[in-house]
Short mmCIF file of all heavy atoms in Angstrom, two decimals:
data_model
loop_
_atom_site.label_atom_id
_atom_site.label_comp_id
_atom_site.label_asym_id
_atom_site.label_seq_id
_atom_site.Cartn_x
_atom_site.Cartn_y
_atom_site.Cartn_z
N ALA O 1 -2.88 17.65 23.73
CA ALA O 1 -2.81 19.03 23.22
C ALA O 1 -1.65 19.81 23.81
O ALA O 1 -1.08 20.69 23.15
CB ALA O 1 -4.12 19.74 23.49
N ASP O 2 -1.29 19.52 25.05
CA ASP O 2 -0.25 20.30 25.72
C ASP O 2 1.14 19.68 25.61
O ASP O 2 2.05 20.08 26.32
CB ASP O 2 -0.62 20.49 27.20
CG ASP O 2 -0.76 19.17 27.95
OD1 ASP O 2 -0.83 18.11 27.28
OD2 ASP O 2 -0.80 19.19 29.20
N ARG O 3 1.28 18.70 24.73
CA ARG O 3 2.57 18.03 24.56
C ARG O 3 2.88 17.86 23.08
O ARG O 3 2.03 18.09 22.22
CB ARG O 3 2.55 16.65 25.25
CG ARG O 3 2.45 16.74 26.77
CD ARG O 3 2.19 15.38 27.37
NE ARG O 3 0.98 15.42 28.21
CZ ARG O 3 0.44 14.36 28.77
NH1 ARG O 3 0.99 13.17 28.59
NH2 ARG O 3 -0.64 14.47 29.51
N ALA O 4 4.11 17.43 22.82
CA ALA O 4 4.52 17.21 21.43
C ALA O 4 3.73 16.05 20.83
O ALA O 4 3.27 15.16 21.55
CB ALA O 4 6.01 16.88 21.38
N PRO O 5 3.53 16.05 19.51
CA PRO O 5 2.87 14.92 18.86
C PRO O 5 3.58 13.61 19.19
O PRO O 5 4.79 13.59 19.43
CB PRO O 5 3.00 15.25 17.37
CG PRO O 5 3.15 16.73 17.31
CD PRO O 5 3.92 17.09 18.54
N VAL O 6 2.83 12.52 19.19
CA VAL O 6 3.35 11.21 19.58
C VAL O 6 3.24 10.25 18.40
O VAL O 6 2.19 10.13 17.78
CB VAL O 6 2.56 10.65 20.78
CG1 VAL O 6 3.06 9.24 21.14
CG2 VAL O 6 2.70 11.58 21.98
N ARG O 7 4.35 9.56 18.10
CA ARG O 7 4.33 8.57 17.04
C ARG O 7 3.76 7.26 17.57
O ARG O 7 3.87 6.97 18.76
CB ARG O 7 5.72 8.33 16.46
CG ARG O 7 6.69 7.68 17.43
CD ARG O 7 8.01 7.30 16.75
NE ARG O 7 7.86 6.22 15.80
CZ ARG O 7 7.90 4.92 16.11
NH1 ARG O 7 8.08 4.56 17.37
NH2 ARG O 7 7.75 4.00 15.19
N PRO O 8 3.15 6.45 16.71
CA PRO O 8 2.74 5.11 17.14
C PRO O 8 3.95 4.29 17.55
O PRO O 8 5.09 4.58 17.17
CB PRO O 8 2.07 4.53 15.89
CG PRO O 8 1.74 5.71 15.03
CD PRO O 8 2.78 6.73 15.32
N GLY O 9 3.71 3.21 18.28
CA GLY O 9 4.80 2.40 18.79
C GLY O 9 5.45 1.49 17.76
O GLY O 9 6.45 0.84 18.07
N VAL O 10 4.86 1.39 16.57
CA VAL O 10 5.44 0.60 15.48
C VAL O 10 5.47 1.45 14.22
O VAL O 10 4.91 2.55 14.18
CB VAL O 10 4.64 -0.70 15.23
CG1 VAL O 10 4.70 -1.62 16.43
CG2 VAL O 10 3.19 -0.39 14.86
N ALA O 11 6.12 0.94 13.17
CA ALA O 11 6.30 1.69 11.92
C ALA O 11 5.02 1.63 11.09
O ALA O 11 4.93 0.91 10.08
CB ALA O 11 7.48 1.14 11.14
N MET O 12 4.02 2.40 11.48
CA MET O 12 2.70 2.31 10.86
C MET O 12 2.72 2.68 9.38
O MET O 12 2.06 2.03 8.57
CB MET O 12 1.71 3.22 11.59
CG MET O 12 1.33 2.74 12.97
SD MET O 12 0.55 1.10 12.98
CE MET O 12 -0.90 1.41 11.98
N ALA O 13 3.44 3.73 8.99
CA ALA O 13 3.46 4.13 7.59
C ALA O 13 4.05 3.04 6.71
O ALA O 13 3.55 2.75 5.62
CB ALA O 13 4.24 5.43 7.42
N ASP O 14 5.11 2.41 7.18
CA ASP O 14 5.73 1.34 6.41
C ASP O 14 4.78 0.16 6.25
O ASP O 14 4.63 -0.39 5.15
CB ASP O 14 7.01 0.88 7.10
CG ASP O 14 8.16 1.85 6.91
OD1 ASP O 14 8.29 2.39 5.80
OD2 ASP O 14 8.94 2.06 7.85
N TYR O 15 4.16 -0.25 7.33
CA TYR O 15 3.29 -1.43 7.26
C TYR O 15 1.99 -1.14 6.51
O TYR O 15 1.48 -1.99 5.79
CB TYR O 15 3.02 -1.96 8.67
CG TYR O 15 4.18 -2.77 9.21
CD1 TYR O 15 5.08 -2.23 10.12
CD2 TYR O 15 4.41 -4.08 8.78
CE1 TYR O 15 6.15 -2.96 10.60
CE2 TYR O 15 5.48 -4.81 9.25
CZ TYR O 15 6.35 -4.26 10.15
OH TYR O 15 7.43 -4.99 10.61
N GLN O 16 1.45 0.08 6.65
CA GLN O 16 0.27 0.43 5.86
C GLN O 16 0.62 0.44 4.38
O GLN O 16 -0.18 -0.02 3.54
CB GLN O 16 -0.25 1.80 6.30
CG GLN O 16 -0.97 1.77 7.63
CD GLN O 16 -1.32 3.17 8.13
OE1 GLN O 16 -0.64 4.15 7.85
NE2 GLN O 16 -2.39 3.26 8.89
N SER O 17 1.79 0.96 4.03
CA SER O 17 2.20 0.98 2.63
C SER O 17 2.40 -0.43 2.09
O SER O 17 2.09 -0.72 0.93
CB SER O 17 3.49 1.80 2.48
OG SER O 17 3.28 3.14 2.86
N ALA O 18 2.92 -1.32 2.94
CA ALA O 18 3.08 -2.71 2.52
C ALA O 18 1.73 -3.34 2.21
O ALA O 18 1.59 -4.08 1.24
CB ALA O 18 3.81 -3.49 3.60
N LEU O 19 0.73 -3.05 3.03
CA LEU O 19 -0.62 -3.56 2.76
C LEU O 19 -1.14 -3.06 1.42
O LEU O 19 -1.66 -3.83 0.60
CB LEU O 19 -1.58 -3.14 3.87
CG LEU O 19 -1.55 -3.94 5.16
CD1 LEU O 19 -2.39 -3.25 6.23
CD2 LEU O 19 -2.08 -5.35 4.92
N PHE O 20 -1.00 -1.75 1.17
CA PHE O 20 -1.45 -1.20 -0.10
C PHE O 20 -0.66 -1.79 -1.27
O PHE O 20 -1.21 -2.05 -2.34
CB PHE O 20 -1.34 0.33 -0.11
CG PHE O 20 -2.50 1.02 0.53
CD1 PHE O 20 -2.35 1.74 1.70
CD2 PHE O 20 -3.76 0.97 -0.05
CE1 PHE O 20 -3.43 2.39 2.29
CE2 PHE O 20 -4.84 1.61 0.53
CZ PHE O 20 -4.68 2.32 1.70
N GLY O 21 0.63 -2.01 -1.07
CA GLY O 21 1.46 -2.58 -2.13
C GLY O 21 1.03 -3.99 -2.48
O GLY O 21 0.92 -4.36 -3.66
N ALA O 22 0.78 -4.83 -1.45
CA ALA O 22 0.34 -6.20 -1.70
C ALA O 22 -1.05 -6.22 -2.33
O ALA O 22 -1.33 -7.00 -3.25
CB ALA O 22 0.35 -6.99 -0.39
N PHE O 23 -1.92 -5.34 -1.85
CA PHE O 23 -3.27 -5.21 -2.41
C PHE O 23 -3.21 -4.82 -3.88
O PHE O 23 -3.87 -5.42 -4.73
CB PHE O 23 -4.02 -4.16 -1.58
CG PHE O 23 -5.37 -3.76 -2.09
CD1 PHE O 23 -6.38 -4.69 -2.24
CD2 PHE O 23 -5.65 -2.43 -2.38
CE1 PHE O 23 -7.64 -4.30 -2.69
CE2 PHE O 23 -6.89 -2.04 -2.82
CZ PHE O 23 -7.91 -2.98 -2.97
N ALA O 24 -2.37 -3.84 -4.20
CA ALA O 24 -2.23 -3.39 -5.58
C ALA O 24 -1.63 -4.48 -6.47
O ALA O 24 -2.05 -4.64 -7.63
CB ALA O 24 -1.36 -2.14 -5.63
N ALA O 25 -0.67 -5.21 -5.94
CA ALA O 25 -0.08 -6.31 -6.73
C ALA O 25 -1.13 -7.34 -7.09
O ALA O 25 -1.17 -7.84 -8.23
CB ALA O 25 1.06 -6.95 -5.95
N MET O 26 -2.02 -7.66 -6.15
CA MET O 26 -3.06 -8.64 -6.43
C MET O 26 -4.09 -8.10 -7.43
O MET O 26 -4.58 -8.84 -8.29
CB MET O 26 -3.76 -9.06 -5.14
CG MET O 26 -2.87 -9.84 -4.17
SD MET O 26 -2.02 -11.25 -4.94
CE MET O 26 -3.40 -12.23 -5.51
N ILE O 27 -4.42 -6.81 -7.34
CA ILE O 27 -5.30 -6.20 -8.34
C ILE O 27 -4.67 -6.30 -9.73
O ILE O 27 -5.33 -6.67 -10.71
CB ILE O 27 -5.59 -4.72 -8.00
CG1 ILE O 27 -6.43 -4.63 -6.72
CG2 ILE O 27 -6.31 -4.03 -9.16
CD1 ILE O 27 -6.58 -3.20 -6.22
N ALA O 28 -3.39 -5.96 -9.81
CA ALA O 28 -2.69 -5.99 -11.09
C ALA O 28 -2.59 -7.42 -11.64
O ALA O 28 -2.74 -7.64 -12.85
CB ALA O 28 -1.30 -5.38 -10.94
N LEU O 29 -2.34 -8.39 -10.75
CA LEU O 29 -2.30 -9.78 -11.19
C LEU O 29 -3.68 -10.23 -11.69
O LEU O 29 -3.79 -10.93 -12.71
CB LEU O 29 -1.84 -10.68 -10.05
CG LEU O 29 -0.34 -10.66 -9.75
CD1 LEU O 29 -0.05 -11.30 -8.39
CD2 LEU O 29 0.46 -11.35 -10.85
N PHE O 30 -4.73 -9.85 -10.99
CA PHE O 30 -6.09 -10.20 -11.42
C PHE O 30 -6.39 -9.58 -12.78
O PHE O 30 -6.93 -10.24 -13.68
CB PHE O 30 -7.11 -9.72 -10.38
CG PHE O 30 -8.53 -10.03 -10.75
CD1 PHE O 30 -9.05 -11.29 -10.53
CD2 PHE O 30 -9.34 -9.06 -11.31
CE1 PHE O 30 -10.37 -11.59 -10.88
CE2 PHE O 30 -10.66 -9.34 -11.66
CZ PHE O 30 -11.17 -10.61 -11.44
N HIS O 31 -6.03 -8.31 -12.95
CA HIS O 31 -6.25 -7.63 -14.23
C HIS O 31 -5.52 -8.35 -15.36
O HIS O 31 -6.07 -8.52 -16.46
CB HIS O 31 -5.77 -6.18 -14.12
CG HIS O 31 -5.77 -5.44 -15.43
ND1 HIS O 31 -6.93 -5.06 -16.07
CD2 HIS O 31 -4.75 -5.01 -16.21
CE1 HIS O 31 -6.62 -4.44 -17.19
NE2 HIS O 31 -5.30 -4.40 -17.30
N ARG O 32 -4.31 -8.78 -15.08
CA ARG O 32 -3.51 -9.45 -16.10
C ARG O 32 -4.02 -10.87 -16.39
O ARG O 32 -4.16 -11.27 -17.55
CB ARG O 32 -2.05 -9.51 -15.65
CG ARG O 32 -1.08 -9.94 -16.74
CD ARG O 32 0.32 -10.14 -16.17
NE ARG O 32 0.41 -11.38 -15.40
CZ ARG O 32 1.49 -11.76 -14.72
NH1 ARG O 32 2.54 -10.97 -14.67
NH2 ARG O 32 1.50 -12.89 -14.06
N GLU O 33 -4.29 -11.61 -15.32
CA GLU O 33 -4.62 -13.03 -15.48
C GLU O 33 -6.08 -13.27 -15.84
O GLU O 33 -6.39 -14.17 -16.63
CB GLU O 33 -4.28 -13.79 -14.19
CG GLU O 33 -2.82 -13.73 -13.80
CD GLU O 33 -1.92 -14.36 -14.85
OE1 GLU O 33 -2.25 -15.46 -15.33
OE2 GLU O 33 -0.89 -13.74 -15.20
N ALA O 34 -6.99 -12.51 -15.24
CA ALA O 34 -8.42 -12.78 -15.42
C ALA O 34 -9.10 -11.84 -16.41
O ALA O 34 -10.18 -12.15 -16.91
CB ALA O 34 -9.14 -12.69 -14.06
N ARG O 35 -8.46 -10.72 -16.69
CA ARG O 35 -9.09 -9.74 -17.58
C ARG O 35 -8.33 -9.55 -18.89
O ARG O 35 -8.67 -8.67 -19.69
CB ARG O 35 -9.21 -8.38 -16.86
CG ARG O 35 -10.15 -8.39 -15.66
CD ARG O 35 -11.60 -8.48 -16.13
NE ARG O 35 -12.53 -8.29 -15.01
CZ ARG O 35 -13.17 -9.28 -14.39
NH1 ARG O 35 -12.96 -10.54 -14.77
NH2 ARG O 35 -14.00 -9.03 -13.40
N GLY O 36 -7.27 -10.35 -19.07
CA GLY O 36 -6.53 -10.25 -20.31
C GLY O 36 -5.67 -9.01 -20.43
O GLY O 36 -5.29 -8.61 -21.54
N GLY O 37 -5.35 -8.39 -19.30
CA GLY O 37 -4.53 -7.18 -19.32
C GLY O 37 -3.05 -7.51 -19.44
O GLY O 37 -2.65 -8.66 -19.61
N THR O 38 -2.26 -6.48 -19.33
CA THR O 38 -0.81 -6.65 -19.41
C THR O 38 -0.18 -6.15 -18.11
O THR O 38 -0.88 -5.90 -17.13
CB THR O 38 -0.24 -5.91 -20.63
OG1 THR O 38 1.16 -6.19 -20.75
CG2 THR O 38 -0.45 -4.40 -20.51
N GLY O 39 1.13 -6.01 -18.12
CA GLY O 39 1.80 -5.53 -16.92
C GLY O 39 1.53 -4.06 -16.67
O GLY O 39 0.98 -3.35 -17.52
N GLN O 40 1.92 -3.59 -15.49
CA GLN O 40 1.75 -2.17 -15.17
C GLN O 40 2.65 -1.78 -14.02
O GLN O 40 3.18 -2.63 -13.30
CB GLN O 40 0.29 -1.85 -14.84
CG GLN O 40 -0.29 -2.62 -13.68
CD GLN O 40 -1.74 -2.25 -13.42
OE1 GLN O 40 -2.06 -1.10 -13.09
NE2 GLN O 40 -2.64 -3.23 -13.57
N HIS O 41 2.80 -0.47 -13.85
CA HIS O 41 3.64 0.09 -12.79
C HIS O 41 2.73 0.59 -11.68
O HIS O 41 1.82 1.38 -11.91
CB HIS O 41 4.48 1.24 -13.34
CG HIS O 41 5.54 1.72 -12.41
ND1 HIS O 41 6.20 2.91 -12.58
CD2 HIS O 41 6.07 1.17 -11.28
CE1 HIS O 41 7.09 3.08 -11.60
NE2 HIS O 41 7.02 2.03 -10.81
N VAL O 42 2.96 0.14 -10.46
CA VAL O 42 2.17 0.52 -9.29
C VAL O 42 2.99 1.51 -8.47
O VAL O 42 4.14 1.24 -8.11
CB VAL O 42 1.82 -0.71 -8.44
CG1 VAL O 42 1.08 -0.29 -7.18
CG2 VAL O 42 0.99 -1.70 -9.24
N ASP O 43 2.40 2.66 -8.16
CA ASP O 43 3.07 3.74 -7.43
C ASP O 43 2.44 3.85 -6.05
O ASP O 43 1.32 4.35 -5.90
CB ASP O 43 2.90 5.04 -8.23
CG ASP O 43 3.50 6.27 -7.56
OD1 ASP O 43 4.06 6.15 -6.46
OD2 ASP O 43 3.40 7.36 -8.17
N VAL O 44 3.15 3.39 -5.02
CA VAL O 44 2.67 3.45 -3.63
C VAL O 44 3.55 4.43 -2.87
O VAL O 44 4.78 4.32 -2.89
CB VAL O 44 2.74 2.07 -2.94
CG1 VAL O 44 2.31 2.17 -1.48
CG2 VAL O 44 1.89 1.05 -3.68
N SER O 45 2.92 5.39 -2.19
CA SER O 45 3.70 6.32 -1.37
C SER O 45 3.38 6.12 0.10
O SER O 45 2.24 5.81 0.47
CB SER O 45 3.41 7.77 -1.77
OG SER O 45 2.12 8.17 -1.34
N LEU O 46 4.38 6.31 0.94
CA LEU O 46 4.17 6.19 2.38
C LEU O 46 3.13 7.21 2.86
O LEU O 46 2.24 6.88 3.64
CB LEU O 46 5.49 6.42 3.14
CG LEU O 46 6.65 5.47 2.90
CD1 LEU O 46 7.80 5.82 3.86
CD2 LEU O 46 6.26 4.02 3.10
N PHE O 47 3.24 8.44 2.39
CA PHE O 47 2.37 9.47 2.94
C PHE O 47 0.91 9.23 2.55
O PHE O 47 -0.01 9.42 3.35
CB PHE O 47 2.85 10.88 2.55
CG PHE O 47 2.26 11.44 1.29
CD1 PHE O 47 1.07 12.15 1.30
CD2 PHE O 47 2.92 11.28 0.07
CE1 PHE O 47 0.53 12.68 0.14
CE2 PHE O 47 2.40 11.82 -1.09
CZ PHE O 47 1.20 12.51 -1.06
#
């Protein structure tokens, strides 16, 4: 409380976004391959 905010020691926002991106890609692939869907655009934001 008495000091400036502290960032994590690694690039957490980047790596969390990568997880969501890979997760979303697999959802989209499942939708396309197993549900007869088509392609789609996945929007992942760092924040």
Side-chain angles (χ1 to χ4, degrees):
D2 60 346
R3 293 170 235 174
V6 177
R7 67 173 291 275
V10 296
M12 290 300 299
D14 284 321
Y15 282 101
Q16 286 172 330
S17 297
L19 280 171
F20 277 114
F23 173 59
M26 293 308 301
I27 293 172
L29 283 166
F30 180 80
H31 172 70
R32 191 187 75 184
E33 299 298 314
R35 295 288 188 258
T38 185
Q40 59 180 298
H41 190 195
V42 176
D43 178 359
V44 177
S45 72
L46 298 185
F47 92 87

